[in-house]
Amino acid sequence: MQLPKKLQKKLQNREENNSLRRLYSKGNHVDFSSNDYLGFAAKKKIFEQAHKILEEREIYQNGATGSRLLSGNYKLYEETETQLKEFHNAEAALLFNSGYDANIGFFSAIPQRGDLVFYDELIHASIRDGIQMSNAKAYKFGHNDLDDLQNKVLKLGSSKNSMAETKIYVVTESIFSMDGDAPNLERFVLFCKNHNCHLIVDEAHATGVFGECGVGLLQALNLQDQVFARINTFGKAMGCHGAVILGSIDLKKYLINFARSFIYTTGLPPHSLATIQAAYQELINTSQVEKLTQNITFFNSKVEITKLKSQFVKSNSAIHSCIISGNENVKNVAAKLQENGFDVKPILSPTVPRGQERLRFCIHSYNSKEEISEVLELLATFVQA
Ligand SMILES: Cc1ncc(COP(=O)(O)O)c(C=O)c1O
């Protein structure tokens, strides 16, 4: 059956704007694009340990068989949630099937009609989608701009906040997925404390990257007890799949009862949980977090030497963005890097705002110094030509 004309038109517009999304198979290029920051996704030791975990418990089961609220809950879930809450120093942990599910579940269920949500303008699409599904009013604030947040909370929240029933939620990411930068979390925490706001932080790109054993940025700053909820995902540095919401026991109880993306979906298969457990065990033993930190420092020093600093968004994380405006321009530079064996992805508008198109470099513990030097030297010849 034919695609309706108006949908065909939308695809045609994407083609014309050079912004049509396509699926590509992974090639043999040097990896500067995956979220597998520590190389855990392909680590045999983790794969084997996951099997060992299942065999030791005599679990020979492929699927969860139902929602966790019906037939899909089992002991390995409880074990994994205990491991996660202990590792992340939280009162309670609730697993979700993905970070996307965790965010839509949380933001569609927690803020109520009459509440206010303030979100960073560059917040991840999964949080935006969750907010859209909620009955609360939502306002964006400038990226990492605490002054803007303060103005908006004081203007829009003060009259409302006098009503004890109105709650204010503030949401940010500890590392932003497109810019790789971070808000001043200490100041955000203090502001939220002083203005009676509930702070939620998405740690997707900080998990496995910051703090001792990759505990995340909030724990690295000892702020974990000062936030209402944390969302940590496993599809990035943990190299597997799923996500956890960390918070109070009551928050967990509430989400089990009201988060629709938790309730109305089949639970994760045992193999997924065993892999999460094995990946977290590996975090405690690995030297990869340290190697990643060294590579990030090396990348930044090389950006200075190659005189590319003004093109890059400042970042101490694994994500580094070189702004090259225009979909066609950024696609051309990415294609040239790819021709030379480097997998660096162009990020196009509308994924990022027009004019902010960029090459997004993801740094890994397994990238060599030579690879980092070579790709940046090559980039310099293209963008400075
Ligand atoms: C900041 C952020 N939150 C949430 C997600 C979603 O996580 P997942 O890939 O596990 O659905 C992503 C991944 O794209 C992300 O970058």
Side-chain angles (χ1 to χ4, degrees), residues 35 97-103 123-127 173 175-178 202-205 231 233-236 241-243 360:
N35 294 322
N97 289 4
S98 70
Y100 188 87
D101 279 356
N103 279 332
I123 209 77
H124 192 260
S126 55
I127 297 175
E173 293 173 29
I175 296 297
F176 276 84
S177 60
M178 285 299 145
D202 181 327
E203 291 243 69
H205 294 278
I231 293 113
T233 71
F234 310 136
K236 323 286 181 206
H241 197 75
R360 182 171 177 265

Side-chain angles (χ1 to χ4, degrees), residues 101-213:
D101 279 356
N103 279 332
I104 58 167
F106 183 95
F107 288 97
S108 60
I110 295 284
Q112 301 292 295
R113 191 180 299 283
D115 291 344
L116 302 175
V117 183
F118 293 89
Y119 62 95
D120 188 290
E121 64 183 338
L122 298 189
I123 209 77
H124 192 260
S126 55
I127 297 175
R128 277 179 186 255
D129 291 357
I131 291 171
Q132 266 197 344
M133 291 158 85
S134 127
N135 288 319
K137 275 220 156 86
Y139 302 92
K140 65 180 175 198
F141 57 89
H143 179 50
N144 287 337
D145 189 343
L146 194 60
D147 292 337
D148 190 35
L149 172 65
Q150 173 152 348
N151 289 340
K152 289 189 169 141
V153 167
L154 293 180
K155 190 166 148 214
L156 300 157
S158 60
S159 55
K160 285 231 159 215
N161 210 20
S162 58
M163 295 183 286
E165 288 303 296
T166 298
K167 292 288 163 239
I168 298 179
Y169 296 92
V170 173
V171 52
T172 187
E173 293 173 29
S174 49
I175 296 297
F176 276 84
S177 60
M178 285 299 145
D179 285 26
D181 57 352
N184 184 328
L185 285 170
E186 279 114 336
R187 289 188 63 212
F188 269 77
V189 161
L190 191 65
F191 171 81
C192 288
K193 206 169 172 181
N194 290 341
H195 292 83
N196 202 15
C197 303
H198 289 59
L199 180 61
I200 300 112
V201 182
D202 181 327
E203 291 243 69
H205 294 278
T207 310
V209 177
F210 287 95
E212 205 184 333
C213 303

